[in-house]
Amino acid sequence: MALSTSVTLRRTTVGAVHAADRLSPALAAALSAPVFERARPPREVRPGEQPVHLAASRSRLQLPHGDGVLYEWGAGPRTVLLVHGWRGRASQFAPIVRELRASGCHLVAFDAPAHGDAPGHRTDIRSWVEAINRLHLEFGRFEAIVGHSLGSLAAMAAVRDGVSVRGIVGIAPMASGRYLFDAFADGMGLSAAAAAAQREQYTRRVFPHAVDPWRRFDSIAAPLPRDVGLLLLHDRDDREIDAAQSELLHAAHGERSRLIVSTGSGHSRLLAADRTLDAVAAFVDGGVSGIDRLERGEERRVTTAA
């Protein structure tokens, strides 16, 4: 779908939602649901990502709620899992793949159902957690999990569920699943009643038998296990997820967390920023101590060829 068509469709939907909201918040919530859950059209592989994307060993990733695509690079003893966000894809991690593969890491990533090269048109956050759990069963303990946006939210939930990892890198993360709904409601201009109805409708559909499903996705109320280090990278110019979300996560995890805030990269370009590559490499090699050495100028990244 062309961008202009998407914008026109969204504006038409927003107008209908606002009209419905004055009559029935539940109806407004139902009308807004397709916008909240739409995953297509897929993000294209950018030219600078193509060499890494094509170099991957790929296979089908079978999941309970739709299949994904599994990608692997390298064969080192340390496995690092890369988890993309909503409407993202594994190829976005190409700069990080180049960086960590040069350090001898085995890199694993996936396109979630209805994302990237994976089939389907709709999916939800369950598939991210299911993919992480599935890959943990296959590859064992991860040296690190690097999550972008929604991918970091899912990674933290999976680790609290029992996935074993030495540390998590959250790039433009959110502190809780509630932020997903609040940001969407704000963007759509939903009333408080319609926002609550939209959240309730989604929860009933995705987690029909859970009593309090969103506690799994709340890293403030339920921080990561004490032996898991945390690196947070966020940009002040991020228009999708406020940098305050990383500040909340950092405060909740104390001395085992490090926060690096930048400007000028926004939400997605942060994945390829030099400072991000420096920090991810230092964290994978040395945890939070590696970040401290980097910040003191004791470590330097060696730039790798594309």
Side-chain angles (χ1 to χ4, degrees):
M1 182 182 294
L3 177 60
S4 58
T5 305
S6 298
V7 171
T8 300
L9 178 62
R10 183 180 177 91
R11 287 174 178 168
T12 302
T13 303
V14 169
V17 167
H18 287 174
D21 205 348
R22 292 191 287 269
L23 300 173
S24 167
L27 176 60
L31 290 174
S32 67
V35 179
F36 184 75
E37 300 175 28
R38 187 180 297 128
R40 294 297 192 183
R43 179 189 184 278
E44 295 181 355
V45 179
R46 306 292 166 80
E49 302 164 358
Q50 281 283 4
V52 171
H53 180 67
L54 295 175
S57 170
R58 67 171 65 194
S59 58
R60 179 184 177 191
L61 180 61
Q62 292 183 283
L63 300 170
H65 296 94
D67 290 347
V69 178
L70 173 64
Y71 302 89
E72 292 184 67
W73 300 265
R78 300 178 299 164
T79 299
V80 176
L81 175 63
L82 310 169
V83 187
H84 70 75
W86 185 254
R87 296 186 182 174
R89 62 183 305 147
S91 64
Q92 287 177 279
F93 290 104
I96 294 175
V97 170
R98 284 192 291 263
E99 189 73 29
L100 296 183
R101 188 175 181 184
S103 299
C105 290
H106 170 218
L107 285 306
V108 177
F110 61 88
D111 287 340
H115 286 70
D117 290 345
H121 295 280
R122 293 178 60 177
T123 190
D124 56 65
I125 196 170
R126 287 176 299 182
S127 289
W128 272 258
V129 179
E130 289 163 354
I132 296 168
N133 286 326
R134 163 79 172 74
L135 296 174
H136 180 240
L137 288 175
E138 181 170 349
F139 297 109
R141 178 180 173 86
F142 296 114
E143 188 72 13
I145 301 176
V146 181
H148 179 231
S149 192
L150 178 76
S152 63
L153 181 70
M156 292 181 196
V159 169
R160 284 194 299 275
D161 285 350
V163 167
S164 180
V165 66
R166 188 168 67 87
I168 290 180
V169 179
I171 302 175
M174 60 194 78
S176 71
R178 178 63 183 262
Y179 186 84
L180 288 169
F181 297 102
D182 290 347
F184 175 74
D186 183 63
M188 291 289 289
L190 296 178
S191 67
Q198 186 263 336
R199 186 169 62 250
E200 182 181 352
Q201 289 174 13
Y202 181 89
T203 302
R204 282 202 311 265
R205 186 178 67 78
V206 177
F207 302 110
H209 307 298
V211 176
D212 185 15
W214 294 108
R215 184 174 176 82
R216 288 180 67 204
F217 300 93
D218 189 338
S219 295
I220 305 302
L224 294 168
R226 292 187 177 277
D227 62 342
V228 177
L230 180 62
L231 170 62
L232 302 161
L233 299 131
H234 221 123
D235 195 89
R236 293 289 183 196
D237 297 323
D238 191 326
R239 295 183 179 181
E240 296 190 34
I241 300 176
D242 197 297
Q245 291 292 296
S246 281
E247 293 169 354
L248 290 170
L249 285 167
H250 179 55
H253 290 85
E255 287 303 311
R256 58 199 171 101
S257 169
R258 297 295 183 270
L259 171 62
I260 298 176
V261 179
S262 59
T263 57
S265 294
H267 187 69
S268 295
R269 286 184 292 117
L270 184 61
L271 286 165
D274 282 345
R275 197 174 186 192
T276 297
L277 302 181
D278 284 342
V280 171
F283 184 79
V284 169
D285 285 341
V288 294
S289 296
I291 297 300
D292 293 340
R293 291 192 294 272
L294 178 69
E295 294 293 284
R296 292 195 300 264
E298 298 173 15
E299 292 190 6
R300 287 288 185 270
R301 178 173 64 89
V302 176
T303 302
T304 57

